[in-house]
Amino acid sequence: EEEELVIRYDVPPAARRSLKAIGIMSEASGGFSAEAFGTVDGMFLKQVVTRTTGPIASRWATIMARRLLASRTNTPVGVNGADWAAERAWLLLRMGDSVVARQLVQEVDAGNYTKRLHEVAMQAFLANGDLSGMCPLTESGVRLVNDGRWKMSRAICASLAGEQGSATAFINQGRYQGWVRGVDYRLTEKAVGAGINGRRSVTINWDGVEGMNPWRFGLSAATGLEPPEKLFAKSARQMAGWRAQLPMFSPTIRAKYAPGAAALGVYSNREIVDLYGQVLEDEEAPDVLRARAEGLQSAYTASGDAAKVSAMSAIWTGAAAGADYHAALVTTARAAALIRADDAHAAAADNLVASMMTAGLDNTAVAWANIVKEGSLGWALIALGAPQLRQPVEYGPLDDFYGNDDSESGHKSALLLAGLAGLGRVDAEAQADFGGDLEVNIARQTDWTRAITAAAGRGEQGTVALMAIAGLQAPSWSLVPANHLYFIVRSLRQVGLDAEARMIAAEAVTLA
């Protein structure tokens, strides 16, 4: 018996995975390099990750961070590999990417799970509505975490395995000992009833329920329930990403949450267009959703550029400001790229360029350089987002842009100056003069600016990317300081992430 207790693995030694490097993307497949964090102390990086609570103002920075967190990078010195994977997965969940978070926690062998990884793994499986994913970890989760939800998961897993006697015993014990209560208990009963020969019919009454938590989210998704929208009113934005990625929901349901996921950076242009295409095939789709899908279809397939631009303009003007407008730009990105640069569409040029930049279609957007008016939004986005700029930007166009700037205290103009300076695309004298006009010091130093500058000096792409999203924690670009954008863009460019630097700068000016 004592010898059996020593055995921790069900897999042969050759199949066990190391904790020295964890991830689902290699550098060859588009991820960051294994040495992305250099020799930085792991406890410092762990603090950066845990203190990045969001929301993240930048969609492009979120996309960059998701790629970093999913990459097979070396585990930093001073942290346990399983704990480091847990913190990375937890940040992915906070950014709305439930799918990659689950894949990441599954990269660690069950025998190497720590208490922290158990805690995060449950959140990841619940965010995906994947109850069976918890089952290999249930007993160790009960032992290490000692949480009522892990104890109740034994009832669910027993039911999924067809062991209804054990499931009944566990759920009765949970009721008597109060492991979970109220609607959380009723949802557990419903999940148990969904197992093999469950034979339980449970009706969920949402009246009196306040708010949404991961347990309610995961169990309702797994049992095919869509909770009332009011329960999500106080939830963080990341749940829009979770809901849009749930495979058990029909395209019609996921399309309701897709704009929020697109604004977060969880959905790409291709994904959201494909999803609306599936909505068009659903004859029972709600009229409002079908009208939105048909409008997007016209933006891509209408006869002639004028009709396409008209359809896109309707989408842009029909969206509210902020995340809705951002999502509208994402959905039309490749439709905008279909439009030939022509003076006939000059009135829509700003939005066309902004839309293309959301999908990184920078070369296509540059074709509009002779159409956009100097000092306009489109001009600013091309100056920031173009792969190459022939000559530095001078004071005149900056002053023209400021004259059209309706943001509070000229914040959009300050971000434009910061982005251009970080990219090295503004005349030095113009930078000083325009900064004086705005009364903003884009080079103002703080502990955070010194840390990201030092990381860039060491050539650590991963550390710079983590510091960048830490410096972009704000509900919107209107609250991101101009000096943060300057140091982020400059540092990203210094470590070879030039494309990300340009897209983040363009996005800042679009949405501030």
Side-chain angles (χ1 to χ4, degrees), residues 279-295:
V279 170
L280 286 175
E281 297 175 359
D282 185 354
E283 296 179 355
E284 298 181 0
D287 292 341
V288 173
L289 200 57
R290 175 169 288 277
R292 189 187 304 170
E294 289 173 346

Side-chain angles (χ1 to χ4, degrees), residues 338-424:
L338 296 174
I339 307 302
R340 185 179 65 258
D342 194 302
D343 286 327
H345 310 304
D350 287 353
N351 279 325
L352 288 169
V353 172
S355 184
M356 284 183 269
M357 289 296 182
T358 64
L361 303 174
D362 47 4
N363 284 309
T364 309
V366 170
W368 291 81
N370 295 326
I371 306 298
V372 295
K373 184 179 179 182
E374 194 172 80
S376 66
L377 174 63
W379 164 84
L381 298 184
I382 291 174
L384 291 166
Q388 302 289 336
L389 198 66
R390 293 180 181 177
Q391 58 186 16
V393 174
E394 297 183 349
Y395 180 85
L398 291 173
D399 191 50
D400 290 341
F401 184 87
Y402 184 44
N404 298 322
D405 187 356
D406 58 359
S407 63
E408 186 175 351
S409 302
H411 187 59
K412 189 186 289 282
S413 297
L415 292 177
L416 171 60
L417 178 63
L420 290 171
L423 292 169

Side-chain angles (χ1 to χ4, degrees), residues 42-368:
M43 293 308 296
F44 169 77
L45 293 172
K46 186 177 178 181
Q47 279 193 337
V48 174
V49 172
T50 55
R51 292 182 180 181
T52 304
T53 57
I56 310 301
S58 171
R59 175 178 179 269
W60 270 110
T62 299
I63 293 171
M64 174 183 66
R66 287 173 56 215
R67 184 163 63 91
L68 169 65
L69 296 171
S71 296
R72 192 175 300 116
T73 52
N74 294 334
T75 299
V77 177
V79 293
N80 178 278
D83 286 338
W84 178 237
E87 299 304 340
R88 290 159 61 190
W90 186 229
L91 182 52
L92 283 164
L93 287 173
R94 297 200 298 274
M95 293 192 297
D97 194 340
S98 56
V99 172
V100 175
R102 177 180 58 176
Q103 291 174 329
L104 191 60
V105 299
Q106 289 177 323
E107 284 292 300
V108 179
D109 290 338
N112 290 329
Y113 265 56
T114 60
K115 177 181 178 181
R116 180 57 178 160
L117 188 52
H118 274 90
E119 293 171 343
V120 174
M122 172 170 275
Q123 310 300 316
F125 289 121
L126 290 173
N128 285 276
D130 181 6
L131 304 186
S132 62
M134 298 187 294
C135 296
L137 306 171
T138 294
E139 294 304 323
S140 56
V142 171
R143 184 177 68 254
L144 290 177
V145 184
N146 192 29
D147 179 82
R149 292 171 301 174
W150 274 113
K151 294 176 182 178
M152 292 301 281
S153 72
R154 290 188 296 187
I156 296 172
C157 292
S159 178
L160 293 175
E163 300 172 359
Q164 290 303 324
S166 297
T168 300
F170 281 131
I171 200 165
N172 288 340
Q173 186 180 5
R175 183 175 71 246
Y176 294 137
Q177 298 191 11
W179 291 340
V180 294
R181 303 176 184 274
V183 72
D184 294 339
Y185 175 80
R186 298 289 289 171
L187 283 168
T188 307
E189 274 195 311
K190 191 169 185 66
V192 169
I196 299 174
N197 298 321
R199 298 177 183 176
R200 288 172 181 262
S201 179
V202 180
T203 300
I204 303 300
N205 185 356
W206 298 103
D207 294 343
V209 178
E210 296 183 2
M212 181 58 56
N213 60 36
W215 187 256
R216 295 168 189 171
F217 181 93
L219 267 62
S220 60
T223 54
L225 297 177
E226 190 177 2
E229 198 63 32
K230 65 179 182 180
L231 297 183
F232 293 91
K234 296 182 180 180
S235 299
R237 292 190 305 173
Q238 68 260 23
M239 281 197 176
W242 300 1
R243 296 161 93 184
Q245 291 180 299
L246 287 172
M248 65 282 292
F249 280 0
S250 69
T252 300
I253 294 177
R254 283 186 284 125
K256 294 192 295 185
Y257 315 122
L264 280 172
V266 174
Y267 256 32
S268 68
N269 165 266
R270 291 186 186 277
E271 288 170 322
I272 196 168
V273 170
D274 180 65
L275 184 62
Y276 279 122
Q278 295 176 59
V279 170
L280 286 175
E281 297 175 359
D282 185 354
E283 296 179 355
E284 298 181 0
D287 292 341
V288 173
L289 200 57
R290 175 169 288 277
R292 189 187 304 170
E294 289 173 346
L296 186 60
Q297 182 184 45
S298 296
Y300 281 87
T301 63
S303 178
D305 286 357
K308 289 184 176 72
V309 172
S310 177
M312 281 186 274
S313 296
I315 293 172
W316 299 327
T317 56
D324 288 341
Y325 172 65
H326 196 184
L329 292 176
V330 173
T331 60
T332 58
R334 282 182 167 76
L338 296 174
I339 307 302
R340 185 179 65 258
D342 194 302
D343 286 327
H345 310 304
D350 287 353
N351 279 325
L352 288 169
V353 172
S355 184
M356 284 183 269
M357 289 296 182
T358 64
L361 303 174
D362 47 4
N363 284 309
T364 309
V366 170
W368 291 81

